[in-house]
Coordinates of all heavy atoms in Angstrom, one line a residue:
M1 N -66.2 -10.7 29.5 CA -65.0 -11.4 29.4 C -64.7 -11.6 27.9 O -65.6 -11.9 27.1 CB -65.1 -12.8 30.0 CG -63.9 -13.7 29.9 SD -64.1 -15.4 30.5 CE -63.1 -15.2 32.0
P2 N -63.4 -11.3 27.5 CA -63.1 -11.4 26.1 C -63.2 -12.8 25.6 O -63.1 -13.8 26.4 CB -61.7 -10.9 26.0 CG -61.2 -10.7 27.3 CD -62.3 -10.9 28.3
E3 N -63.4 -13.0 24.3 CA -63.4 -14.3 23.7 C -62.1 -15.0 23.9 O -61.0 -14.5 23.8 CB -63.6 -14.1 22.2 CG -63.9 -15.4 21.4 CD -64.2 -15.1 20.0 OE1 -65.1 -14.3 19.7 OE2 -63.5 -15.6 19.1
C4 N -62.2 -16.3 24.3 CA -61.0 -17.0 24.7 C -60.4 -17.6 23.4 O -61.1 -18.3 22.6 CB -61.3 -18.1 25.7 SG -59.8 -19.0 26.2
T5 N -59.1 -17.4 23.1 CA -58.4 -17.9 22.0 C -57.4 -18.9 22.4 O -57.0 -18.9 23.6 CB -57.8 -16.8 21.2 OG1 -56.7 -16.2 22.0 CG2 -58.7 -15.7 20.7
T6 N -56.9 -19.6 21.5 CA -55.8 -20.6 21.8 C -54.6 -19.8 22.4 O -54.0 -20.2 23.4 CB -55.3 -21.3 20.6 OG1 -56.5 -22.0 20.1 CG2 -54.2 -22.3 20.9
T7 N -54.3 -18.6 21.8 CA -53.2 -17.8 22.2 C -53.5 -17.3 23.7 O -52.6 -17.4 24.5 CB -53.0 -16.6 21.3 OG1 -52.7 -17.1 20.0 CG2 -51.9 -15.7 21.8
D8 N -54.7 -16.9 23.9 CA -55.0 -16.4 25.3 C -54.9 -17.5 26.3 O -54.4 -17.3 27.4 CB -56.4 -15.7 25.3 CG -56.6 -15.0 26.6 OD1 -55.8 -14.1 26.8 OD2 -57.6 -15.2 27.3
R9 N -55.3 -18.7 25.9 CA -55.3 -19.8 26.8 C -53.8 -20.1 27.2 O -53.5 -20.4 28.3 CB -56.0 -21.0 26.2 CG -56.2 -22.1 27.2 CD -57.2 -23.2 26.8 NE -57.0 -23.7 25.5 CZ -57.7 -23.4 24.4 NH1 -58.8 -22.6 24.6 NH2 -57.5 -23.9 23.2
H10 N -52.9 -20.1 26.2 CA -51.5 -20.3 26.4 C -50.9 -19.2 27.3 O -50.1 -19.5 28.2 CB -50.7 -20.4 25.1 CG -50.8 -21.7 24.4 ND1 -50.4 -22.9 24.9 CD2 -51.4 -22.0 23.2 CE1 -50.7 -23.8 24.0 NE2 -51.2 -23.3 23.0
L11 N -51.3 -18.0 27.1 CA -50.9 -16.9 27.9 C -51.3 -17.0 29.3 O -50.5 -16.9 30.2 CB -51.4 -15.6 27.3 CG -51.2 -14.3 28.2 CD1 -49.7 -14.0 28.4 CD2 -51.9 -13.1 27.5
R12 N -52.5 -17.4 29.6 CA -53.0 -17.6 30.9 C -52.3 -18.7 31.6 O -52.0 -18.6 32.8 CB -54.5 -17.7 30.9 CG -55.2 -16.5 30.5 CD -56.7 -16.6 30.4 NE -57.3 -16.7 31.7 CZ -57.5 -15.7 32.6 NH1 -57.0 -14.5 32.3 NH2 -58.0 -15.9 33.7
H13 N -52.0 -19.8 30.9 CA -51.3 -20.9 31.6 C -49.9 -20.6 31.9 O -49.4 -20.9 32.9 CB -51.4 -22.2 30.7 CG -52.7 -22.9 30.8 ND1 -53.1 -23.7 31.8 CD2 -53.8 -22.8 30.0 CE1 -54.3 -24.1 31.7 NE2 -54.8 -23.6 30.5
A14 N -49.2 -19.8 31.0 CA -47.9 -19.4 31.2 C -47.8 -18.4 32.4 O -46.9 -18.6 33.2 CB -47.3 -18.7 29.9
L15 N -48.7 -17.5 32.4 CA -48.8 -16.6 33.6 C -49.0 -17.3 34.9 O -48.4 -17.0 35.9 CB -49.9 -15.5 33.4 CG -49.5 -14.4 32.4 CD1 -50.8 -13.6 32.0 CD2 -48.5 -13.5 32.9
S16 N -49.9 -18.3 34.8 CA -50.2 -19.1 36.0 C -48.9 -19.8 36.5 O -48.6 -19.8 37.7 CB -51.3 -20.1 35.7 OG -51.5 -21.0 36.7
R17 N -48.2 -20.4 35.6 CA -47.0 -21.1 36.0 C -45.9 -20.2 36.5 O -45.3 -20.4 37.6 CB -46.4 -21.8 34.7 CG -45.2 -22.8 35.1 CD -44.6 -23.4 33.9 NE -43.9 -22.5 33.0 CZ -42.7 -22.0 33.4 NH1 -42.1 -22.4 34.5 NH2 -42.0 -21.2 32.5
I18 N -45.7 -19.0 35.9 CA -44.7 -18.0 36.4 C -45.1 -17.4 37.7 O -44.2 -17.2 38.6 CB -44.5 -16.9 35.3 CG1 -44.0 -17.5 34.0 CG2 -43.7 -15.8 35.8 CD1 -42.6 -18.1 34.1
T19 N -46.4 -17.2 38.0 CA -46.8 -16.5 39.2 C -47.2 -17.5 40.3 O -47.5 -17.0 41.4 CB -47.9 -15.5 38.9 OG1 -49.1 -16.3 38.4 CG2 -47.5 -14.5 37.9
N20 N -47.3 -18.8 40.0 CA -47.8 -19.7 40.9 C -49.2 -19.4 41.4 O -49.5 -19.6 42.6 CB -46.8 -19.9 42.1 CG -45.5 -20.5 41.8 OD1 -45.4 -21.5 41.0 ND2 -44.4 -19.9 42.2
R21 N -50.0 -18.9 40.5 CA -51.4 -18.7 40.8 C -52.2 -19.6 39.9 O -51.8 -19.9 38.8 CB -51.8 -17.2 40.4 CG -51.1 -16.2 41.2 CD -51.5 -14.8 40.7 NE -50.8 -13.8 41.4 CZ -51.4 -12.6 41.7 NH1 -52.6 -12.3 41.2 NH2 -50.7 -11.7 42.3
G22 N -53.4 -19.9 40.3 CA -54.3 -20.7 39.5 C -54.7 -19.9 38.3 O -54.8 -18.6 38.4
V23 N -55.0 -20.5 37.2 CA -55.4 -19.8 36.0 C -56.6 -18.9 36.3 O -56.6 -17.8 35.8 CB -55.8 -20.8 34.8 CG1 -56.4 -20.1 33.6 CG2 -54.6 -21.6 34.4
G24 N -57.5 -19.3 37.1 CA -58.7 -18.5 37.4 C -58.4 -17.2 38.2 O -59.2 -16.3 38.4
R25 N -57.2 -17.2 38.8 CA -56.7 -16.1 39.6 C -55.9 -15.1 38.8 O -55.4 -14.1 39.4 CB -56.0 -16.6 40.8 CG -56.9 -17.3 41.8 CD -56.3 -17.6 43.1 NE -55.9 -16.4 43.8 CZ -54.7 -16.2 44.4 NH1 -53.9 -17.2 44.5 NH2 -54.5 -15.0 45.0
I26 N -55.7 -15.3 37.5 CA -55.0 -14.4 36.7 C -56.0 -13.4 36.2 O -57.0 -13.7 35.5 CB -54.3 -15.1 35.5 CG1 -53.4 -16.2 35.9 CG2 -53.7 -14.1 34.5 CD1 -52.2 -15.7 36.7
P27 N -55.8 -12.1 36.5 CA -56.8 -11.1 36.0 C -56.8 -10.9 34.5 O -55.8 -11.2 33.8 CB -56.3 -9.8 36.7 CG -54.8 -10.0 37.0 CD -54.7 -11.5 37.2
E28 N -57.9 -10.5 34.0 CA -58.0 -10.2 32.5 C -57.0 -9.2 32.1 O -56.4 -9.3 31.1 CB -59.4 -9.8 32.1 CG -60.4 -10.9 32.1 CD -60.0 -12.0 31.2 OE1 -59.7 -11.8 30.0 OE2 -60.1 -13.2 31.6
D29 N -56.8 -8.2 32.9 CA -55.8 -7.1 32.6 C -55.2 -6.7 34.0 O -55.9 -6.5 34.9 CB -56.4 -5.9 31.9 CG -55.3 -5.0 31.4 OD1 -54.2 -5.4 31.3 OD2 -55.6 -3.8 31.2
G30 N -54.0 -6.7 34.0 CA -53.3 -6.3 35.2 C -51.9 -5.9 34.8 O -51.4 -6.2 33.7
R31 N -51.2 -5.3 35.7 CA -49.8 -4.8 35.5 C -48.9 -6.0 35.9 O -49.0 -6.6 37.0 CB -49.5 -3.6 36.3 CG -50.3 -2.4 35.8 CD -50.2 -1.2 36.6 NE -50.9 -1.5 37.9 CZ -51.0 -0.7 38.9 NH1 -50.4 0.4 38.9 NH2 -51.7 -1.1 40.0
L32 N -48.0 -6.3 35.0 CA -47.1 -7.4 35.2 C -46.3 -7.3 36.4 O -46.3 -8.2 37.3 CB -46.2 -7.6 33.9 CG -46.9 -7.9 32.6 CD1 -45.9 -8.0 31.5 CD2 -47.7 -9.2 32.7
E33 N -45.7 -6.2 36.6 CA -44.8 -6.0 37.8 C -45.6 -5.7 39.0 O -45.4 -6.4 40.1 CB -43.8 -4.9 37.5 CG -42.8 -4.8 38.6 CD -41.7 -3.7 38.4 OE1 -41.7 -3.1 37.3 OE2 -40.9 -3.5 39.2
H34 N -46.5 -4.8 39.0 CA -47.2 -4.4 40.2 C -48.2 -5.4 40.7 O -48.2 -5.7 41.9 CB -47.8 -3.0 40.0 CG -48.6 -2.5 41.2 ND1 -47.9 -1.9 42.2 CD2 -49.9 -2.5 41.4 CE1 -48.8 -1.6 43.1 NE2 -50.0 -1.9 42.7
D35 N -49.1 -5.9 39.8 CA -50.1 -6.7 40.2 C -49.7 -8.2 40.3 O -50.2 -8.9 41.1 CB -51.3 -6.6 39.2 CG -51.9 -5.2 39.2 OD1 -51.9 -4.5 40.2 OD2 -52.4 -4.8 38.1
L36 N -48.8 -8.6 39.4 CA -48.4 -10.0 39.4 C -47.0 -10.3 39.9 O -46.6 -11.4 39.9 CB -48.6 -10.6 38.0 CG -50.0 -10.6 37.4 CD1 -50.0 -11.0 35.9 CD2 -50.9 -11.5 38.2
Q37 N -46.3 -9.2 40.3 CA -44.9 -9.4 40.8 C -44.0 -10.1 39.9 O -43.2 -10.9 40.3 CB -44.9 -10.0 42.2 CG -45.4 -9.2 43.3 CD -47.0 -9.0 43.3 OE1 -47.7 -10.0 43.2 NE2 -47.4 -7.8 43.4
I38 N -44.1 -9.8 38.6 CA -43.3 -10.3 37.6 C -42.1 -9.4 37.4 O -42.3 -8.3 36.8 CB -44.0 -10.6 36.3 CG1 -45.1 -11.7 36.5 CG2 -43.1 -11.0 35.1 CD1 -46.0 -12.0 35.3
D39 N -40.9 -9.8 37.9 CA -39.7 -9.0 37.7 C -39.1 -9.3 36.4 O -39.6 -10.1 35.6 CB -38.8 -9.2 38.9 CG -38.3 -10.6 39.0 OD1 -38.4 -11.4 38.1 OD2 -37.7 -10.9 40.1
S40 N -37.9 -8.7 36.1 CA -37.3 -8.9 34.8 C -36.9 -10.3 34.5 O -37.0 -10.8 33.4 CB -36.1 -8.0 34.7 OG -35.1 -8.2 35.7
L41 N -36.5 -11.1 35.6 CA -36.1 -12.5 35.4 C -37.3 -13.3 35.1 O -37.3 -14.1 34.2 CB -35.4 -13.0 36.6 CG -34.9 -14.4 36.6 CD1 -33.9 -14.6 35.4 CD2 -34.2 -14.8 37.9
A42 N -38.4 -13.1 35.8 CA -39.6 -13.8 35.6 C -40.2 -13.5 34.2 O -40.8 -14.3 33.5 CB -40.7 -13.5 36.7
L43 N -40.1 -12.2 33.8 CA -40.5 -11.8 32.5 C -39.8 -12.5 31.4 O -40.4 -13.0 30.4 CB -40.4 -10.3 32.3 CG -40.9 -9.7 30.9 CD1 -42.4 -10.1 30.7 CD2 -40.7 -8.2 30.8
A44 N -38.5 -12.7 31.5 CA -37.6 -13.4 30.6 C -38.1 -14.9 30.5 O -38.2 -15.5 29.4 CB -36.2 -13.3 30.9
E45 N -38.4 -15.4 31.7 CA -38.9 -16.8 31.7 C -40.2 -16.9 31.0 O -40.5 -17.9 30.3 CB -38.9 -17.3 33.2 CG -39.2 -18.8 33.3 CD -39.2 -19.2 34.8 OE1 -38.7 -18.5 35.6 OE2 -39.7 -20.3 35.0
L46 N -41.1 -16.0 31.3 CA -42.4 -16.0 30.7 C -42.3 -15.9 29.2 O -43.0 -16.6 28.4 CB -43.2 -14.8 31.2 CG -44.6 -14.5 30.6 CD1 -45.6 -15.7 30.9 CD2 -45.2 -13.2 31.2
V47 N -41.5 -15.0 28.7 CA -41.3 -14.8 27.2 C -40.8 -16.1 26.6 O -41.3 -16.5 25.6 CB -40.4 -13.6 26.9 CG1 -39.9 -13.6 25.5 CG2 -41.1 -12.3 27.3
T48 N -39.8 -16.7 27.2 CA -39.3 -18.0 26.7 C -40.4 -19.1 26.7 O -40.5 -19.8 25.7 CB -38.1 -18.4 27.6 OG1 -37.1 -17.4 27.5 CG2 -37.5 -19.8 27.1
D49 N -41.1 -19.1 27.7 CA -42.2 -20.1 27.8 C -43.2 -19.9 26.6 O -43.6 -20.8 25.9 CB -42.9 -20.0 29.1 CG -44.0 -21.1 29.4 OD1 -44.4 -21.7 28.5 OD2 -44.4 -21.2 30.6
L50 N -43.6 -18.6 26.4 CA -44.6 -18.3 25.4 C -44.0 -18.5 24.0 O -44.7 -19.0 23.1 CB -45.1 -16.8 25.5 CG -46.0 -16.6 26.7 CD1 -46.1 -15.1 27.0 CD2 -47.3 -17.2 26.5
E51 N -42.7 -18.2 23.8 CA -42.1 -18.5 22.5 C -42.1 -20.0 22.2 O -42.4 -20.4 21.0 CB -40.6 -18.0 22.5 CG -40.5 -16.5 22.5 CD -39.1 -16.0 22.5 OE1 -38.2 -16.7 23.2 OE2 -38.8 -15.0 22.0
Q52 N -41.9 -20.8 23.2 CA -41.9 -22.3 23.0 C -43.4 -22.8 22.8 O -43.6 -23.6 21.8 CB -41.3 -23.0 24.2 CG -39.8 -22.8 24.2 CD -39.2 -23.3 25.5 OE1 -39.9 -23.7 26.4 NE2 -37.9 -23.3 25.6
R53 N -44.3 -22.3 23.6 CA -45.7 -22.7 23.4 C -46.3 -22.3 22.1 O -47.1 -23.1 21.5 CB -46.5 -22.1 24.6 CG -46.3 -22.7 25.9 CD -47.2 -21.9 26.9 NE -46.9 -22.3 28.3 CZ -47.7 -23.1 29.0 NH1 -48.8 -23.6 28.4 NH2 -47.4 -23.4 30.2
L54 N -46.0 -21.1 21.6 CA -46.6 -20.6 20.5 C -45.8 -20.6 19.2 O -46.2 -20.1 18.2 CB -47.1 -19.2 20.8 CG -48.1 -19.1 21.9 CD1 -48.3 -17.6 22.3 CD2 -49.4 -19.7 21.5
S55 N -44.5 -21.1 19.3 CA -43.6 -21.1 18.2 C -43.5 -19.8 17.5 O -43.6 -19.6 16.3 CB -44.1 -22.1 17.1 OG -44.2 -23.4 17.7
V56 N -43.2 -18.8 18.3 CA -42.9 -17.4 17.9 C -41.6 -16.9 18.5 O -41.1 -17.5 19.4 CB -44.1 -16.4 18.3 CG1 -45.4 -16.8 17.6 CG2 -44.2 -16.3 19.8
T57 N -41.1 -15.8 17.9 CA -40.0 -15.1 18.5 C -40.5 -13.7 18.9 O -41.0 -13.0 18.1 CB -38.8 -15.0 17.5 OG1 -38.4 -16.3 17.1 CG2 -37.7 -14.2 18.1
I58 N -40.3 -13.5 20.2 CA -40.6 -12.2 20.8 C -39.4 -11.3 20.8 O -38.5 -11.6 21.6 CB -41.3 -12.3 22.1 CG1 -42.6 -13.2 22.0 CG2 -41.6 -10.9 22.7 CD1 -43.2 -13.5 23.3
P59 N -39.3 -10.3 20.0 CA -38.1 -9.4 20.0 C -37.8 -8.8 21.4 O -38.8 -8.4 22.1 CB -38.4 -8.4 18.9 CG -39.5 -8.9 18.1 CD -40.3 -9.8 19.1
D60 N -36.5 -8.6 21.7 CA -36.2 -8.0 23.0 C -36.7 -6.6 23.2 O -37.2 -6.2 24.2 CB -34.6 -8.0 23.1 CG -34.0 -9.3 23.3 OD1 -34.7 -10.3 23.7 OD2 -32.8 -9.5 23.1
E61 N -36.8 -5.8 22.1 CA -37.3 -4.5 22.2 C -38.8 -4.5 22.5 O -39.3 -3.6 23.2 CB -37.0 -3.6 20.9 CG -37.6 -4.2 19.6 CD -36.7 -5.2 18.9 OE1 -35.6 -5.6 19.4 OE2 -37.1 -5.6 17.8
E62 N -39.5 -5.5 22.0 CA -40.9 -5.6 22.4 C -41.1 -6.0 23.8 O -42.0 -5.5 24.5 CB -41.6 -6.7 21.5 CG -41.7 -6.2 20.0 CD -42.7 -5.1 19.8 OE1 -43.6 -4.9 20.7 OE2 -42.7 -4.5 18.7
T63 N -40.2 -6.9 24.3 CA -40.3 -7.4 25.7 C -40.1 -6.2 26.6 O -40.8 -6.1 27.7 CB -39.2 -8.4 26.0 OG1 -39.4 -9.5 25.1 CG2 -39.2 -8.9 27.4
G64 N -39.2 -5.3 26.3 CA -39.0 -4.1 27.1 C -40.2 -3.2 27.3 O -40.2 -2.4 28.2
R65 N -41.1 -3.3 26.3 CA -42.3 -2.4 26.3 C -43.5 -3.0 27.1 O -44.5 -2.3 27.3 CB -42.7 -2.1 24.9 CG -41.7 -1.3 24.1 CD -42.2 -0.9 22.8 NE -41.2 -0.5 21.9 CZ -40.9 -1.0 20.7 NH1 -41.6 -2.0 20.2 NH2 -39.8 -0.5 20.1
L66 N -43.4 -4.2 27.5 CA -44.5 -4.9 28.1 C -44.7 -4.4 29.5 O -43.8 -4.5 30.4 CB -44.3 -6.4 28.1 CG -44.2 -7.1 26.7 CD1 -43.8 -8.5 26.9 CD2 -45.5 -6.9 26.0
R67 N -45.9 -3.9 29.8 CA -46.2 -3.4 31.2 C -47.4 -4.1 31.7 O -47.6 -4.3 32.9 CB -46.5 -1.9 31.1 CG -45.3 -1.1 30.7 CD -44.2 -1.1 31.7 NE -43.1 -0.3 31.3 CZ -41.9 -0.8 30.7 NH1 -41.8 -2.1 30.6 NH2 -41.0 0.0 30.3
T68 N -48.3 -4.5 30.8 CA -49.6 -5.1 31.3 C -49.9 -6.4 30.6 O -49.3 -6.7 29.5 CB -50.8 -4.2 31.0 OG1 -51.0 -4.0 29.6 CG2 -50.6 -2.8 31.7
I69 N -50.9 -7.1 31.1 CA -51.3 -8.4 30.4 C -51.9 -8.0 29.0 O -51.7 -8.7 28.0 CB -52.4 -9.1 31.2 CG1 -51.7 -9.6 32.5 CG2 -53.0 -10.3 30.5 CD1 -52.7 -10.2 33.5
A70 N -52.6 -6.8 29.0 CA -53.1 -6.4 27.7 C -52.0 -6.1 26.7 O -52.2 -6.4 25.5 CB -54.0 -5.1 27.9
D71 N -50.9 -5.5 27.1 CA -49.8 -5.3 26.2 C -49.3 -6.7 25.6 O -49.0 -6.8 24.5 CB -48.6 -4.7 26.9 CG -48.8 -3.3 27.4 OD1 -49.8 -2.6 26.9 OD2 -48.1 -2.8 28.3
L72 N -49.1 -7.6 26.5 CA -48.7 -8.9 26.1 C -49.6 -9.6 25.2 O -49.2 -10.2 24.2 CB -48.4 -9.8 27.4 CG -47.7 -11.1 27.3 CD1 -46.4 -11.0 26.5 CD2 -47.4 -11.6 28.7
R73 N -50.9 -9.6 25.5 CA -51.9 -10.2 24.7 C -51.9 -9.5 23.3 O -52.0 -10.2 22.3 CB -53.3 -10.0 25.3 CG -54.4 -10.7 24.6 CD -55.8 -10.6 25.3 NE -55.8 -11.4 26.5 CZ -55.9 -10.9 27.8 NH1 -56.0 -9.6 28.0 NH2 -55.9 -11.7 28.8
A74 N -51.8 -8.2 23.2 CA -51.8 -7.5 21.9 C -50.6 -7.9 21.1 O -50.7 -8.2 19.9 CB -51.8 -6.0 22.1
L75 N -49.4 -8.0 21.7 CA -48.2 -8.4 21.1 C -48.4 -9.8 20.5 O -48.0 -10.1 19.3 CB -47.0 -8.3 22.0 CG -45.7 -8.9 21.5 CD1 -45.2 -8.2 20.2 CD2 -44.6 -8.9 22.6
L76 N -48.8 -10.7 21.3 CA -49.0 -12.1 20.9 C -50.0 -12.2 19.7 O -49.8 -13.0 18.8 CB -49.4 -13.0 22.0 CG -48.4 -13.2 23.1 CD1 -49.0 -14.0 24.3 CD2 -47.1 -13.9 22.6
N77 N -51.1 -11.5 19.8 CA -52.0 -11.5 18.7 C -51.5 -11.0 17.4 O -51.9 -11.5 16.3 CB -53.3 -10.8 19.1 CG -54.2 -11.5 20.0 OD1 -54.1 -12.8 20.1 ND2 -54.9 -10.9 20.8
R78 N -50.5 -10.1 17.5 CA -49.8 -9.6 16.3 C -48.9 -10.7 15.7 O -48.7 -10.9 14.5 CB -49.0 -8.4 16.5 CG -49.8 -7.1 16.6 CD -49.0 -5.8 16.5 NE -47.7 -5.8 17.2 CZ -47.5 -5.4 18.4 NH1 -48.5 -4.9 19.1 NH2 -46.3 -5.4 18.9
L79 N -48.2 -11.4 16.6 CA -47.2 -12.4 16.2 C -47.8 -13.8 15.8 O -47.2 -14.5 15.0 CB -46.2 -12.6 17.4 CG -45.3 -11.4 17.8 CD1 -44.5 -11.8 19.0 CD2 -44.4 -11.0 16.6
V80 N -48.9 -14.1 16.4 CA -49.5 -15.4 16.2 C -50.7 -15.2 15.3 O -51.7 -14.7 15.7 CB -49.9 -16.1 17.5 CG1 -50.6 -17.5 17.2 CG2 -48.8 -16.2 18.4
T81 N -50.6 -15.7 14.0 CA -51.7 -15.4 13.1 C -53.0 -16.2 13.5 O -54.1 -15.7 13.2 CB -51.3 -15.9 11.7 OG1 -50.9 -17.3 11.7 CG2 -50.2 -15.1 11.1
S82 N -52.9 -17.3 14.2 CA -54.1 -18.0 14.7 C -54.6 -17.5 16.0 O -55.5 -18.0 16.6 CB -53.8 -19.5 14.7 OG -52.9 -19.8 15.7
G83 N -53.9 -16.4 16.5 CA -54.3 -16.0 17.9 C -55.7 -15.4 18.0 O -56.2 -15.4 19.1
T84 N -56.3 -15.1 17.0 CA -57.7 -14.6 17.1 C -58.7 -15.6 16.8 O -59.9 -15.3 16.8 CB -57.9 -13.4 16.1 OG1 -57.6 -13.8 14.8 CG2 -57.0 -12.2 16.5
D85 N -58.3 -16.8 16.5 CA -59.3 -17.9 16.2 C -59.9 -18.4 17.6 O -59.2 -18.7 18.5 CB -58.6 -19.1 15.6 CG -58.1 -18.8 14.2 OD1 -58.5 -17.8 13.6 OD2 -57.2 -19.5 13.8
A86 N -61.2 -18.3 17.6 CA -61.9 -18.7 18.8 C -61.8 -20.3 18.9 O -61.8 -21.0 17.9 CB -63.3 -18.3 18.8
T87 N -61.7 -20.7 20.2 CA -61.7 -22.2 20.4 C -62.7 -22.6 21.4 O -63.2 -21.8 22.2 CB -60.3 -22.7 20.8 OG1 -59.9 -22.0 22.0 CG2 -59.3 -22.5 19.7

């Protein structure tokens, strides 16, 4: 299991809220649409949630490239300078 960061914890809680799954039921890596049934509307809601939680702006062109949880985690780690700090 990867090291848990503040950013990852926020990501998992946001995914849990959007998918109505417990945090423990969010896979480490999965496909947003296929595995978690996150459609374009849910993705927009997820992005807004993460922007508010992490005080970042996620560009629309980046949002369009998101396919997996790993894609989202990598993007957030680039945008949030404290995203790699272990907690």
Side-chain angles (χ1 to χ4, degrees):
M1 177 185 253
E3 187 175 307
C4 187
T5 65
T6 302
T7 300
D8 193 55
R9 193 167 46 254
H10 283 297
L11 171 60
R12 293 178 68 74
H13 283 281
L15 285 166
S16 174
R17 188 182 72 74
I18 295 297
T19 62
N20 292 315
R21 295 177 182 212
V23 172
R25 294 191 58 222
I26 302 297
E28 285 301 314
D29 191 21
R31 293 171 290 178
L32 298 174
E33 186 175 357
H34 181 75
D35 299 329
L36 297 174
Q37 287 73 50
I38 295 177
D39 61 14
S40 59
L41 183 59
L43 182 60
E45 189 177 345
L46 175 63
V47 165
T48 299
D49 188 345
L50 289 167
E51 287 177 329
Q52 291 172 351
R53 286 175 185 261
L54 298 169
S55 300
V56 297
T57 300
I58 299 173
D60 291 340
E61 60 272 7
E62 293 288 344
T63 301
R65 295 185 194 125
L66 298 172
R67 299 288 180 261
T68 66
I69 294 172
D71 293 342
L72 190 48
R73 186 177 286 118
L75 172 61
L76 293 175
N77 284 333
R78 282 196 321 265
L79 296 174
V80 179
T81 55
S82 65
T84 56
D85 295 340
T87 57

